[in-house]
Amino acid sequence: MDRGVVAAKRRFPFRGQAIEERAARDDEFRELCADFADAEVELYRWEQSTEPKRNERYAEYLQLVDDLAGEIGAALDRAAIIPFHRRGPRT
């Protein structure tokens, strides 16, 4: 399974099926999940770092991870909306 999809499923464990289905048919969503996975890797790296800019970089990646998770959640929410088509008045 794609590592981005795995990362997204880890963040949204109750939406795993929706993540898999969306990733299977939507390249942009799959890329978003890959970006999320990359950001998580960097977040972990900076969390463990002893470099002088550790705190600054950690905060940046934490924000990026949260932002990307928000985008993933919003994409899943949009996909879950079923349009309701009103018919004209009955005669």
Side-chain angles (χ1 to χ4, degrees):
M1 183 178 301
D2 181 88
R3 67 184 178 76
V5 171
V6 171
K9 288 174 64 174
R10 188 172 50 249
R11 180 70 178 239
F12 299 97
F14 297 108
R15 301 182 87 178
Q17 184 66 31
I19 291 167
E20 287 181 18
E21 289 172 2
R22 181 79 188 254
R25 61 181 163 75
D26 186 338
D27 290 338
E28 287 182 33
F29 182 78
R30 202 169 36 257
E31 288 175 23
L32 178 61
C33 291
D35 290 345
F36 176 74
D38 291 343
E40 277 192 330
V41 167
E42 287 301 308
L43 177 67
Y44 180 75
R45 187 176 77 79
W46 283 106
E47 183 179 48
Q48 305 302 314
S49 177
T50 57
E51 293 182 37
K53 294 197 174 209
R54 175 219 179 260
N55 291 342
E56 182 181 342
R57 296 293 179 257
Y58 177 79
E60 290 171 358
Y61 277 100
L62 182 60
Q63 183 64 52
L64 179 59
V65 165
D66 287 344
D67 290 348
L68 291 169
E71 288 184 41
I72 291 169
L76 293 170
D77 290 344
R78 283 190 305 273
I81 296 172
I82 300 170
F84 179 74
H85 298 284
R86 285 189 114 162
R87 293 183 181 174
R90 290 187 171 192
T91 55

